[in-house]
Amino acid sequence: MAGKRDASHRDDEDAAKPVNGESKRMFKSQTYQAREPTAVESAITENFEEGSKLLERLAKTTEVSAFRPELQGAVFCGHLVADLDSVSGAIGASLLYGGTPARASEVNSETQFALDHWGVDNIRYIEDVLKEEPDRSVCLVDFQQRTQLHDCIKMDKIVGVIDHHALQNSTIVTEKPIFVDIRPWGSMSTILAYEFTAQRVALPRPVAGMLLSAILSDTLNLRSPTTTEWDRRVVSMLVQYCQVEDVNILCTQQFKAKSHALSQMTAYTLVNGDIKQFKFGSPDGKEYQVAFSVVETTDPLASLARSQELVREMRTVKQELSAEKTVHVLYLAIVDIVNLRSFLLLLGEAERTLAEAAYGGRSAVLPEDVAGVAGENCERYVYDLGSRVSRKADFVPPISAAVSGGWKMPIKRSKTELHFAEETWVPVVDYSSDPNGEIVRRRSQDVARGPPKAAAAAARRHLRVTRRWTSERLQGGRGARHSYWGVGVAGAAQRGE
């Protein structure tokens, strides 16, 4: 197998088969040393036999495929902000059901690491695929909400949904029945990995590795409250199948890839990088639009030290989003993925009152290290979420309950809003430190360009073009990589994968 490799997995190319007792002892001896096992190690050992049984069900040849005629030939695409689970899921689903994977945006640093690590080609943008074939049907992966749907996807072309999130107010509505596979598991990639075994379909190791990385990411290495027994069982199967000798190395590398890029990101990129919108209905018939951004990091203090910069960016992003449809509340959660603790940045009175209604009153006194870096009067705009770490399980459901329980938008503005409302900032492309340019904010009076909305649109276009050019340039120098889409499963088998 071509592409980058390291000590965290082996390159054995023999077909899928159960790991024998000797291999099981190898996993134990190499990962369990004189310390407490991690959550992933415990899951592998405790579910080893179940994982082996699932592994036995994987097809040894590519002559068998999943029979889902309604999905045959579809484009499989994730939500607006592409992450590891949506990209891996699109790749896996297109291979399982026979179609084309696509992404709705540029990939983040963690996803790029997984693509490099497992030697898999990046996938195309959904608008490029549909531009060439506008009549293609589409299956949504890792989401089912209209607020997260790329605008080039037509509702009447949606033929399926594969997801693991709750059905909420903005769920898609179709004119005819579609294929739906929604399960309360920790990752959408868990569903697909299981279906490869249930349908007895061959699973190339690089794709299996992408699914494994996605499950570990979405479940925070099986420590998130969203983790289920099926996630643990499937991880055990995939670790055996991919011959991962030390899963902790893989976990650590992914964490580093996710966090390293944060230090180099502008406030614009941090706030817009992983943002999702939700619509909630109140008892009096009013609807509130809530945008919720998440930054997952191994160094939360570094992000919290930029709190004032980030809150100012949040204000501008809220205004830009509201230019199309009013966003009533915008949050940014900084999640410590090592210690499983989170802090919420509050823009104004609406954000503060809703957080208090959703998460149980006023924030606890901030830890000294947080207060020391977050800035003066940080208690006004930093809310301690405690051990809550999951947007799906911990952040959004309490907000839904608070709104349905009668929360109302406050009339007055907070001191934080007044403090950050003094000037208008617009996004511009700055070439002073990066020849490819990076998106930063400048005071509107210092920028000779169009209105803020036009500036924001121009910045987003630059972000996409720059990321795409950089990605393609980097991929061009990495040698042979695995591309399963467009050639079919048989083509992959002929290459010995």
Side-chain angles (χ1 to χ4, degrees):
M1 182 182 303
K4 293 185 178 180
R5 286 292 187 245
D6 57 37
S8 64
H9 66 88
R10 290 163 48 188
D11 259 344
D12 302 65
E13 293 297 336
D14 47 342
K17 56 185 178 183
V19 180
N20 58 30
E22 181 179 352
S23 296
K24 182 176 179 179
R25 288 192 296 273
M26 175 197 71
F27 281 105
K28 282 190 173 182
S29 63
Q30 290 189 354
T31 59
Y32 282 24
Q33 300 174 8
R35 58 171 173 75
E36 288 294 319
T38 65
V40 180
E41 289 173 335
S42 296
I44 294 171
T45 299
E46 293 169 7
N47 294 274
F48 203 91
E49 298 302 328
E50 291 81 359
S52 296
K53 291 177 182 178
L54 286 175
L55 196 54
E56 291 177 354
R57 297 179 60 86
L58 282 180
K60 309 304 188 294
T61 70
T62 58
E63 297 176 358
V64 182
S65 60
F67 182 68
R68 290 284 186 265
E70 59 271 38
L71 300 182
Q72 187 70 35
V75 180
F76 295 83
C77 183
H79 41 74
L80 277 175
V81 181
D83 61 10
L84 184 49
D85 199 29
S86 67
V87 171
S88 299
I91 293 172
S94 66
L95 184 62
L96 177 64
Y97 297 117
T100 303
R103 56 190 166 106
S105 70
E106 67 280 353
V107 300
N108 58 29
S109 56
E110 181 186 38
T111 306
Q112 190 61 60
F113 163 79
L115 291 167
D116 293 342
H117 182 81
W118 297 106
V120 176
D121 279 330
N122 205 343
I123 56 181
R124 300 176 65 198
Y125 287 96
I126 180 64
E127 59 263 47
D128 292 343
V129 176
L130 295 183
K131 184 177 180 180
E132 294 177 358
E133 301 178 87
D135 292 330
R136 289 282 295 272
S137 58
V138 178
C139 178
L140 309 182
V141 295
D142 201 30
F143 81 108
Q144 26 67 24
Q145 291 184 301
R146 296 190 303 274
T147 54
Q148 300 174 31
L149 183 69
H150 196 288
D151 57 12
C152 76
I153 300 176
K154 307 303 180 185
M155 202 70 72
D156 62 353
K157 295 297 182 181
I158 298 176
V159 296
V161 170
I162 307 172
D163 191 22
H164 66 123
H165 295 94
L167 298 172
Q168 295 173 319
N169 291 343
S170 56
T171 299
I172 62 167
V173 177
T174 60
E175 296 181 353
K176 54 186 178 181
I178 63 173
F179 174 87
V180 176
D181 188 353
I182 299 178
R183 310 184 199 187
W185 294 0
S187 169
M188 189 265 299
S189 292
T190 305
I191 300 173
L192 290 172
Y194 173 79
E195 281 301 302
F196 271 96
T197 67
Q199 302 290 337
R200 293 185 177 274
V201 176
L203 176 59
R205 277 202 177 91
V207 177
M210 289 295 297
L211 297 176
L212 172 61
S213 288
I215 300 170
L216 294 175
S217 174
D218 251 29
T219 63
L220 296 180
N221 294 344
L222 302 181
R223 297 191 301 161
S224 168
T226 62
T227 306
T228 67
E229 287 304 313
W230 275 113
D231 298 302
R232 298 183 181 94
R233 187 172 297 184
V234 169
V235 163
S236 182
M237 177 196 77
L238 293 174
V239 166
Q240 295 177 52
Y241 180 48
C242 296
Q243 293 288 281
V244 180
E245 295 181 354
D246 191 339
V247 71
N248 290 316
I249 294 179
L250 178 60
C251 294
T252 300
Q253 289 174 332
Q254 287 193 185
F255 271 3
K256 287 183 177 179
K258 179 182 291 188
S259 297
H260 176 68
L262 296 180
S263 62
Q264 304 172 17
M265 289 183 181
T266 63
Y268 179 95
T269 307
L270 287 173
V271 176
N272 288 276
D274 184 6
I275 190 170
K276 294 183 179 181
Q277 293 192 46
F278 306 89
K279 185 189 298 181
F280 304 105
S282 63
D284 59 3
K286 294 183 178 179
E287 290 187 337
Y288 295 104
Q289 194 83 2
V290 177
F292 209 116
S293 182
V294 174
V295 172
E296 293 182 337
T297 177
T298 59
D299 186 7
L301 292 180
S303 296
L304 288 166
R306 303 174 63 183
S307 293
Q308 294 194 27
E309 178 189 7
L310 292 172
V311 171
R312 180 181 289 111
E313 177 63 30
M314 289 166 61
R315 170 186 170 273
T316 308
V317 170
K318 186 176 180 180
Q319 289 178 332
E320 292 171 352
L321 293 175
S322 296
E324 298 180 1
K325 188 171 185 179
T326 300
V327 172
H328 301 91
V329 173
L330 186 146
Y331 289 121
L332 172 62
I334 297 174
V335 181
D336 181 346
I337 57 180
V338 174
N339 298 305
L340 301 184
R341 186 169 184 175
S342 302
F343 296 91
L344 193 65
L345 296 189
L346 308 177
L347 172 59
E349 193 68 8
E351 284 79 6
R352 183 187 65 80
T353 58
L354 181 54
E356 291 177 355
Y359 305 123
R362 296 187 64 82
S363 172
V365 177
L366 295 175
E368 291 185 6
D369 55 350
V370 172
V373 300
E376 186 178 0
N377 298 320
C378 60
E379 68 278 358
R380 294 178 184 172
Y381 50 85
V382 180
Y383 187 98
D384 190 348
L385 285 170
S387 60
R388 299 177 180 92
V389 294
S390 169
R391 177 164 48 194
K392 182 178 78 170
D394 296 330
F395 300 158
V396 173
I399 292 176
S400 178
V403 174
S404 62
W407 174 83
K408 294 183 178 180
M409 280 281 293
I411 299 177
K412 68 175 184 177
R413 302 175 73 185
S414 70
K415 293 182 180 179
T416 301
E417 286 176 284
L418 294 173
H419 176 72
F420 290 106
E422 297 173 354
E423 300 171 309
T424 300
W425 296 68
V426 297
V428 298
V429 182
D430 179 18
Y431 296 93
S432 61
S433 59
D434 185 345
N436 298 318
E438 60 181 356
I439 299 176
V440 298
R441 294 284 183 182
R442 294 283 186 267
R443 292 180 178 86
S444 58
Q445 60 266 34
D446 299 332
V447 180
R449 62 185 307 158
K453 184 177 179 181
R460 284 193 292 269
R461 285 195 299 270
H462 172 83
L463 181 64
R464 175 184 161 175
V465 170
T466 302
R467 293 280 182 84
R468 174 187 286 195
W469 178 85
T470 303
S471 176
E472 291 174 349
R473 181 186 65 172
L474 291 174
Q475 289 177 16
R478 289 193 180 110
R481 300 166 69 81
H482 295 272
S483 247
Y484 298 98
W485 35 99
V487 298
V489 178
Q494 290 171 3
R495 294 194 301 271
E497 296 155 357

